[in-house]
Protein backbone atom coordinates (compact mmCIF):
# COMPACT_ATOMS: atom_id res chain seq x y z
CA UNK A 1 0.00 0.00 0.00
CA UNK A 2 1.79 3.14 -1.22
CA UNK A 3 -0.42 5.81 0.37
CA UNK A 4 0.10 7.32 3.78
CA UNK A 5 -1.58 9.62 6.25
CA UNK A 6 0.11 12.25 8.39
CA UNK A 7 -1.69 14.21 11.11
CA UNK A 8 0.23 17.46 11.43
CA UNK A 9 0.24 20.48 13.71
CA UNK A 10 0.71 23.86 12.05
CA UNK A 11 1.57 25.68 15.28
CA UNK A 12 -0.23 28.73 16.67
CA UNK A 13 -0.08 30.94 13.59
CA UNK A 14 3.35 32.11 12.52
CA UNK A 15 5.05 30.16 9.74
CA UNK A 16 8.26 30.41 11.78
CA UNK A 17 6.68 28.12 14.38
CA UNK A 18 5.82 25.33 11.92
CA UNK A 19 8.33 22.51 12.42
CA UNK A 20 10.70 21.47 9.62
CA UNK A 21 9.20 17.96 9.82
CA UNK A 22 5.73 19.29 9.04
CA UNK A 23 7.02 21.53 6.25
CA UNK A 24 8.76 18.54 4.66
CA UNK A 25 5.67 16.33 4.73
CA UNK A 26 3.49 19.11 3.28
CA UNK A 27 5.95 19.31 0.38
CA UNK A 28 5.38 15.58 -0.34
CA UNK A 29 1.59 15.54 0.08
CA UNK A 30 -0.91 15.04 -2.70
CA UNK A 31 -3.84 16.10 -0.50
CA UNK A 32 -4.33 18.32 2.56
CA UNK A 33 -7.47 17.97 4.66
CA UNK A 34 -8.68 20.21 7.47
CA UNK A 35 -10.81 22.98 8.89
CA UNK A 36 -11.16 25.93 6.49
CA UNK A 37 -8.85 28.48 8.22
CA UNK A 38 -6.12 25.88 8.79
CA UNK A 39 -6.11 24.61 5.21
CA UNK A 40 -5.90 28.26 4.11
CA UNK A 41 -2.47 28.39 5.76
CA UNK A 42 -1.11 25.78 3.33
CA UNK A 43 0.32 27.22 0.11
CA UNK A 44 -1.22 25.98 -3.13
CA UNK A 45 1.06 24.24 -5.64
CA UNK A 46 0.74 21.94 -8.65
CA UNK A 47 -0.04 18.37 -7.64
CA UNK A 48 -1.62 19.33 -4.32
CA UNK A 49 -5.37 19.30 -3.68
CA UNK A 50 -6.73 21.19 -0.69
CA UNK A 51 -9.86 19.80 0.99
CA UNK A 52 -11.26 22.42 3.37
CA UNK A 53 -14.36 21.73 5.45
CA UNK A 54 -16.39 23.41 8.16
CA UNK A 55 -16.00 22.96 11.90
CA UNK A 56 -17.64 20.06 13.79
CA UNK A 57 -17.27 17.53 10.96
CA UNK A 58 -14.10 15.99 12.32
CA UNK A 59 -15.13 12.36 11.82
CA UNK A 60 -16.33 12.94 8.24
CA UNK A 61 -13.06 14.75 7.54
CA UNK A 62 -11.08 11.88 9.04
CA UNK A 63 -12.91 9.25 7.02
CA UNK A 64 -12.32 11.19 3.81
CA UNK A 65 -8.59 11.40 4.58
CA UNK A 66 -8.37 7.69 5.39
CA UNK A 67 -10.23 6.75 2.21
CA UNK A 68 -7.79 8.79 0.10
CA UNK A 69 -4.77 7.28 1.88
CA UNK A 70 -6.21 3.80 1.24
CA UNK A 71 -6.41 4.70 -2.46
CA UNK A 72 -2.66 5.39 -2.48
CA UNK A 73 -2.62 9.15 -1.96
CA UNK A 74 -0.24 10.99 0.37
CA UNK A 75 -2.59 12.79 2.75
CA UNK A 76 -1.92 15.35 5.48
CA UNK A 77 -4.64 16.20 7.98
CA UNK A 78 -3.81 19.60 9.45
CA UNK A 79 -4.68 21.17 12.80
CA UNK A 80 -3.52 24.36 14.43
CA UNK A 81 -1.15 23.97 17.36
CA UNK A 82 -0.47 20.32 18.11
CA UNK A 83 -2.82 17.76 16.51
CA UNK A 84 -2.97 15.74 19.73
CA UNK A 85 -4.22 18.62 21.89
CA UNK A 86 -8.00 19.03 21.41
CA UNK A 87 -7.49 18.52 17.69
CA UNK A 88 -7.59 16.06 14.78
CA UNK A 89 -5.33 13.20 15.90
CA UNK A 90 -7.93 11.76 18.27
CA UNK A 91 -10.68 12.17 15.65
CA UNK A 92 -8.67 10.27 13.05
CA UNK A 93 -8.06 7.39 15.44
CA UNK A 94 -11.74 7.30 16.37
CA UNK A 95 -12.46 6.85 12.67
CA UNK A 96 -9.79 4.16 12.36
CA UNK A 97 -11.24 2.20 15.26
CA UNK A 98 -14.79 2.36 13.88
CA UNK A 99 -13.89 1.95 10.20
CA UNK A 100 -12.81 -0.90 7.92
CA UNK A 101 -10.14 -3.22 9.34
CA UNK A 102 -7.89 -2.31 6.40
CA UNK A 103 -7.50 1.24 7.74
CA UNK A 104 -5.54 -0.16 10.69
CA UNK A 105 -2.79 -1.24 8.30
CA UNK A 106 -2.31 2.24 6.81
CA UNK A 107 0.93 4.12 7.34
CA UNK A 108 -0.30 6.75 9.83
CA UNK A 109 1.94 9.11 11.79
CA UNK A 110 1.26 12.07 14.08
CA UNK A 111 3.60 15.04 13.64
CA UNK A 112 3.68 17.31 16.70
CA UNK A 113 3.33 21.07 16.62
CA UNK A 114 3.73 23.99 19.00
CA UNK A 115 0.50 24.54 20.92
CA UNK A 116 -1.05 27.94 21.64
CA UNK A 117 -0.62 27.09 25.31
CA UNK A 118 3.16 26.69 25.02
CA UNK A 119 3.56 29.66 22.66
CA UNK A 120 1.63 31.88 25.09
CA UNK A 121 3.65 30.63 28.05
CA UNK A 122 6.88 31.40 26.22
CA UNK A 123 5.74 34.94 25.45
CA UNK A 124 5.02 35.58 29.13
CA UNK A 125 8.05 33.83 30.58
CA UNK A 126 7.44 30.46 32.26
CA UNK A 127 3.99 30.39 33.91
CA UNK A 128 3.82 26.62 33.31
CA UNK A 129 7.25 26.04 34.87
CA UNK A 130 5.92 23.61 37.47
CA UNK A 131 3.00 21.12 37.48
CA UNK A 132 0.12 22.24 35.27
CA UNK A 133 -3.01 20.93 33.57
CA UNK A 134 -4.87 21.81 30.38
CA UNK A 135 -8.68 22.01 30.20
CA UNK A 136 -10.93 22.59 27.19
CA UNK A 137 -13.78 24.79 28.43
CA UNK A 138 -16.07 23.92 25.52
CA UNK A 139 -19.03 21.76 26.55
CA UNK A 140 -19.76 20.64 22.97
CA UNK A 141 -18.29 17.17 23.58
CA UNK A 142 -18.54 16.83 27.36
CA UNK A 143 -21.04 18.02 29.98
CA UNK A 144 -20.50 21.23 31.92
CA UNK A 145 -20.67 19.50 35.37
CA UNK A 146 -17.57 17.49 34.39
CA UNK A 147 -15.73 20.68 33.38
CA UNK A 148 -16.69 22.31 36.68
CA UNK A 149 -15.46 19.30 38.67
CA UNK A 150 -12.13 19.32 36.87
CA UNK A 151 -11.74 23.07 37.39
CA UNK A 152 -12.38 22.77 41.13
CA UNK A 153 -10.07 19.81 41.60
CA UNK A 154 -7.28 21.44 39.57
CA UNK A 155 -7.58 24.65 41.60
CA UNK A 156 -7.65 22.73 44.89
CA UNK A 157 -4.54 20.81 43.82
CA UNK A 158 -2.85 24.16 43.07
CA UNK A 159 -2.03 23.39 39.46
CA UNK A 160 -1.23 26.13 37.02
CA UNK A 161 -3.94 25.80 34.37
CA UNK A 162 -4.29 26.40 30.65
CA UNK A 163 -7.76 26.91 29.19
CA UNK A 164 -8.64 26.33 25.55
CA UNK A 165 -11.88 27.55 23.91
CA UNK A 166 -12.79 29.79 26.84
CA UNK A 167 -15.63 31.81 25.39
CA UNK A 168 -17.67 31.80 22.18
CA UNK A 169 -20.75 33.65 20.92
CA UNK A 170 -22.85 30.51 21.36
CA UNK A 171 -21.77 29.92 24.97
CA UNK A 172 -20.63 33.22 26.51
CA UNK A 173 -21.63 32.12 30.01
CA UNK A 174 -19.02 29.35 30.30
CA UNK A 175 -16.04 31.56 31.04
CA UNK A 176 -18.06 33.67 33.47
CA UNK A 177 -18.81 30.45 35.39
CA UNK A 178 -15.13 29.51 35.20
CA UNK A 179 -14.03 32.78 36.78
CA UNK A 180 -16.61 32.35 39.53
CA UNK A 181 -15.31 28.86 40.32
CA UNK A 182 -11.74 30.16 40.44
CA UNK A 183 -12.78 32.95 42.79
CA UNK A 184 -14.34 30.38 45.10
CA UNK A 185 -11.19 28.24 45.12
CA UNK A 186 -8.26 30.67 44.68
CA UNK A 187 -6.97 33.86 46.22
CA UNK A 188 -7.93 37.13 44.47
CA UNK A 189 -4.28 37.89 43.61
CA UNK A 190 -3.95 34.76 41.43
CA UNK A 191 -2.26 35.75 38.15
CA UNK A 192 -4.03 35.16 34.83
CA UNK A 193 -2.57 35.62 31.36
CA UNK A 194 -4.91 36.28 28.44
CA UNK A 195 -2.99 35.52 25.24
CA UNK A 196 -4.85 36.27 22.02
CA UNK A 197 -3.66 35.37 18.51
CA UNK A 198 -0.20 34.37 19.72
CA UNK A 199 2.49 34.67 17.02
CA UNK A 200 0.12 36.41 14.59
CA UNK A 201 0.25 40.12 13.63
CA UNK A 202 -2.67 40.96 15.94
CA UNK A 203 -1.14 39.21 18.96
CA UNK A 204 -2.19 40.69 22.30
CA UNK A 205 -1.10 39.70 25.81
CA UNK A 206 -2.78 40.88 29.00
CA UNK A 207 -1.86 39.99 32.57
CA UNK A 208 -4.45 40.43 35.31
CA UNK A 209 -5.20 39.32 38.82
CA UNK A 210 -8.18 37.03 39.32
CA UNK A 211 -10.07 39.75 41.17
CA UNK A 212 -9.84 42.02 38.11
CA UNK A 213 -10.47 39.43 35.39
CA UNK A 214 -13.69 39.73 33.39
CA UNK A 215 -15.30 37.36 30.87
CA UNK A 216 -14.87 39.75 27.95
CA UNK A 217 -11.07 39.47 28.25
CA UNK A 218 -11.28 36.12 26.39
CA UNK A 219 -12.70 34.83 23.12
CA UNK A 220 -12.16 31.77 20.95
CA UNK A 221 -8.80 33.10 19.74
CA UNK A 222 -7.56 33.43 23.32
CA UNK A 223 -5.73 30.88 25.40
CA UNK A 224 -5.97 31.62 29.12
CA UNK A 225 -3.16 30.65 31.51
CA UNK A 226 -3.90 30.70 35.24
CA UNK A 227 -0.93 30.59 37.57
CA UNK A 228 -0.63 28.48 40.70
CA UNK A 229 -0.41 30.10 44.12
CA UNK A 230 3.38 30.12 43.63
CA UNK A 231 3.37 31.96 40.28
CA UNK A 232 5.22 35.26 40.39
CA UNK A 233 5.54 38.41 38.32
CA UNK A 234 8.78 40.28 37.70
CA UNK A 235 8.09 43.92 36.93
CA UNK A 236 10.40 45.65 34.45
CA UNK A 237 10.29 48.19 31.64
CA UNK A 238 7.99 46.84 28.96
CA UNK A 239 6.21 43.51 29.33
CA UNK A 240 6.66 41.95 32.78
CA UNK A 241 7.84 38.35 33.22
CA UNK A 242 5.48 35.77 34.69
CA UNK A 243 6.93 32.51 35.95
CA UNK A 244 6.20 29.63 38.29
CA UNK A 245 9.19 28.43 40.35
CA UNK A 246 10.39 24.89 39.79
CA UNK A 247 10.14 24.01 43.49
CA UNK A 248 7.42 23.89 46.12
CA UNK A 249 8.41 24.15 49.78
CA UNK A 250 7.52 21.20 52.01
Amino acid sequence: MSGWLRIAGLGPGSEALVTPEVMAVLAEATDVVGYIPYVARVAERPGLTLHASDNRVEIDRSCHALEMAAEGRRVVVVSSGDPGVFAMASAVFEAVEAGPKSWRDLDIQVLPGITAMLAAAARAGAPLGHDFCCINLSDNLKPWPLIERRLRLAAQADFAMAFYNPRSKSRPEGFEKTLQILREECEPERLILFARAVSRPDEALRIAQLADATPDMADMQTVVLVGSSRTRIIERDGTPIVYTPRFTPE
Side-chain angles (χ1 to χ4, degrees), residues 71-216:
E71 293 168 357
R73 303 183 71 82
R74 301 185 298 275
V75 184
V76 180
V77 176
V78 292
S79 296
S80 67
D82 181 281
V85 179
F86 308 129
M88 282 302 299
S90 182
V92 169
F93 293 127
E94 285 180 38
V96 169
E97 185 176 25
K101 296 292 184 182
S102 59
W103 284 357
R104 302 186 182 199
D105 297 324
L106 288 170
D107 177 5
I108 304 173
Q109 296 179 26
V110 180
L111 308 183
I114 297 172
T115 71
M117 168 182 66
L118 297 181
R123 286 286 196 267
L128 306 180
H130 198 7
D131 296 341
F132 69 92
C133 66
C134 183
I135 300 175
N136 185 345
L137 295 182
S138 170
D139 60 358
N140 287 331
L141 298 176
K142 61 180 182 288
W144 174 257
L146 177 60
I147 297 173
E148 178 174 347
R149 181 168 181 266
R150 289 175 174 173
L151 286 169
R152 289 192 185 279
L153 291 174
Q156 291 167 11
D158 201 21
F159 282 107
M161 293 172 268
F163 299 150
Y164 277 71
N165 300 318
R167 186 170 181 262
S168 69
K169 292 179 180 179
S170 63
R171 45 178 184 78
E173 72 286 345
F175 191 56
E176 184 175 1
K177 293 178 183 177
T178 297
L179 291 176
Q180 181 57 41
I181 291 167
L182 293 177
R183 290 187 175 112
E184 293 170 7
E185 302 291 347
C186 305
E187 70 283 357
E189 298 80 18
R190 185 68 61 101
L191 293 172
I192 302 183
L193 171 69
F194 296 89
R196 188 179 190 279
V198 176
S199 84
R200 302 203 297 268
D202 55 339
E203 173 181 303
L205 302 180
R206 183 171 183 175
I207 300 167
Q209 292 187 341
L210 176 57
D212 301 321
T214 59
D216 61 358

